[in-house]
Amino acid sequence: MSYCAAVAAVRLSSLTKVFDGVAAVDDVSLDIADHDFMILLGPSGCGKSTLLRMIAGLEDPTSGDVAIGDVRVNDIEPKQRDVAMVFQSYALYPHKTVQANIEFPLKVRGVSKTERAEQARQAAATLGLTEYLDRKPGQLSGGQRQRVALARAIVRRPAVFCMDEPLSNLDAKLRGETRAELVALHARLASTFVYVTHDQVEAMTMGTHVAVMSRGRLEQVGTPQEVYARPASVFVAQFIGTPPMNVLPVGVVIDRPVLVGIRPEHLELDPTSQVRTTVTLVEHLGHETLVHARVGETPVVVRLDAIEDAPSVGDDVGLSFPERHLHLFDPATSRRVDA
Amino acid sequence: MTRDAASRRRWRDAPLALAMLAPSLVVLGAFVLYPLARAFWLGHQRCDPTGANCQSNGWDQYIDVFRSKEFQQAFGVTFRFALLTVPVGLALGIGLAVLADKQLRGMGFFRTVFSSTVATSVAVASLMWFFLLNPSVGVLADWIGGVAKNPGLLQDEGTALWAVAVSSIWANLGFTFIVVTAGLQSIPADLYESAYVDGAGGWMRFSNVTLPMLGPTLLFAGVVLTSRAFQSYGEFDLLTGGGPNGSTTSLTYLIYGNNSIIKNNSGLQAAVAVLLFAVLLVLSLLQIRGVERRVHYGN
Amino acid sequence: MATSTMPRGWRLAGRYTLLIALAIVVLFPIWVMLVGAFKPGNKVLQNPLLPTHVTLDTLREAWRDGNLGRALVNSTIVALIVTVAQVVTAVLSAYAFAFLRFPGRTFVFGVFLATLLVPFEATVVVNRSTVQDLGWLNSYQGLAVPFLATAFGTFLVRQVFLTLPKDLREAARMDGLGHLGFLREVAVPLARPTLGALALFGFLSTWNQYLWPTTISTDDDWNTVQSGLRALAQAQIDKPNLVIAGTVIVALPIFVILLVFQRQLVRGLTAGAVKG
């Protein structure tokens, strides 16, 4: 491992990737600290996978630099970057056994047979795969295959661990369990994790930091709490949180030239309020109730705890906007403005 | 920097690609493309009977060859040979494949039998039929009698091409059977089931489900059989030697046969070879047309 | 074709009767050939359908007269060389087309495509003089070299390579494999069924070649089985059952091979039909 970095920090400087004249990644600069669990979050087509692939070395940047632990790696083959990757499709070798799949990166690097068997066994044990070592990928369930892909990545003890939507092919229950395991795995390993997803739940529950992307650009970088509590733009505000933040046009709530955002759980039904509206839909979800209405042209959602008395469709209700929960955005740039 | 990097990327794999393609390129270049180009050139030359000294005879030699009695006769023989062998061979192949398609006891045996002629080379198949039709010892010649005994089916101008065609149909039956069987097996069972539920009988199911679904397969088999018919040589060489009286001198036999009148004139041979290529090219282009069209019914 | 009013049992019986009759028709020439090959020359007119007077003498004589032992060795050597070479050249060129990016790829691929349109029968005139100029008449090189690469094989294997997921190549890159490593460790193992079919197809078509060996093997010792049979047939035109015995000797090995490799054969023959 010629470029084994003592510190596995990843630094991206003005990174750009152009495909056929379209910038998939547009001037992104991002510092990922050693042993960070960085989530690249955004809708499909936002450039997050391309960014990850440039870190891994599968894609050459059009301009800008990728550095891993102070070494510029633009011209270094993936093999020598000390980076491992887990693919969305797992990309296991169908003709090799689980054991051979896990051992394979070590075999390519010339690790001795006994040594790599031992390391593969350990990696398999870590992920609960010991009893499947002799099977082929075709004989495993989706969850098991996903673990083999993880084992194949951790067996190399890479400095940086790239994952491209690794959970998206699992069912909801398995996805929940695996999230917790990945967090535990991150705690146990010394590696830096860079994890691509479009699922905000994964981002909020797993990441130490989240980088939100849209149309090839970085919208905001921060801890999950920060991006939720202080979204830097309308895009971030509406992408994170379910249901998304209500954003009302200029002049409806306060008398300033700003867009006003408020999360559904902070919006209150208030019979005395002057902002009046008619209920268009009520969804009872058990632990909460979502009340849909319109303020002017803008649809809004109010989240109520289940035990509260919910209004019915067609009721006339008042809405109040507690000031401490308001987020203000510049109508021209969509960026956050502080009060 | 960006442009340099981009052009470096473009060429990065080129040396490896060249190394990987080189063996194929050398062989295909030296033994397919070069000979074709060279044959085009040779086709306008006149050579002496030893085939050694050639000189230009003008490009209209192609037209002369095309108009010649010998070429037209050979073209007619080849064309009739294809017409005799392809439709019958195809129909027999379909019939056998449909009969042996059901999951019934013993079908494995019948499939092996019907596939078996694929193992016979043109020489083996031709000599077998030569034996069967031999006027003095042949069993078939005995049974048929008449012309078959004197002078013999292969020796009579009226029957020789038919007899060669029978041998060729038999030899190609295994290939057609295997290809059609594979085509039948790729037809989804629910199509038959829905036709059955709709009340379609055996013949209705065959003509409304089986045949249309076999379309691409039959096109492929038909094209292969046709191009084989146009390229047949061994049958004529072994069974009839182009005779009697030129009645089985195909285009290939005209070029390569021992009894051919242009045997020692490589200029004329090349001219006929180029014309043979042209005929097969038209067939191939028709095939490509057909393949494009079949996309429309969602294959 | 049977009408649905006919009882099931009768229809089944009808189908079997038809199948048996057709099987007899198809096997008839083979049967007559076998019977003839095992008869002495002077008895060939007696009971041509029944194996009477069974003897191996005719087969022995054909073996000797036709120099068929040597022809079998020649055919085997040539077919094996061609088979191995065709698989190797097809794998290499298919890999370049499927996984490498280089300027002119589409054009070169088009050239490969174009060679499929050239019938071998149209090139023999020139190939014969090429081989003669190289001094390869009556040699293994002469018999084998023109067939060491085919565009058909390249297309077949490229088709398989294109179905391999892109992620697999990238995972291999992350694992540290270069192109040659990926070819050996992943692409070839996954293409194995197709390569088997291609190999059988190559072997069979080389073994069955007729025009080429009869063109360039002018010496008895360089006959393949097919040109050897032709020589036997021309030399012994008045001894039909000697010729038919030679035919049995030549046909037998291929029958055995095809019985063993039936599945590869079906895949090879239908490769052009189903996937296109």
Side-chain angles (χ1 to χ4, degrees), chain A residues 296-317:
Chain A
E297 292 290 291
T298 314
V300 294
V301 179
V302 185
R303 209 200 88 178
L304 305 172
D305 288 338
I307 46 173
E308 292 179 62
D309 283 333
S312 309
V313 172
D315 285 0
D316 178 69
V317 293

Side-chain angles (χ1 to χ4, degrees), chain B residues 214-229:
Chain B
L214 273 182
T217 306
L218 296 183
L219 177 70
F220 167 76
V223 166
V224 171
L225 288 178
T226 310
S227 98
R228 279 189 190 181

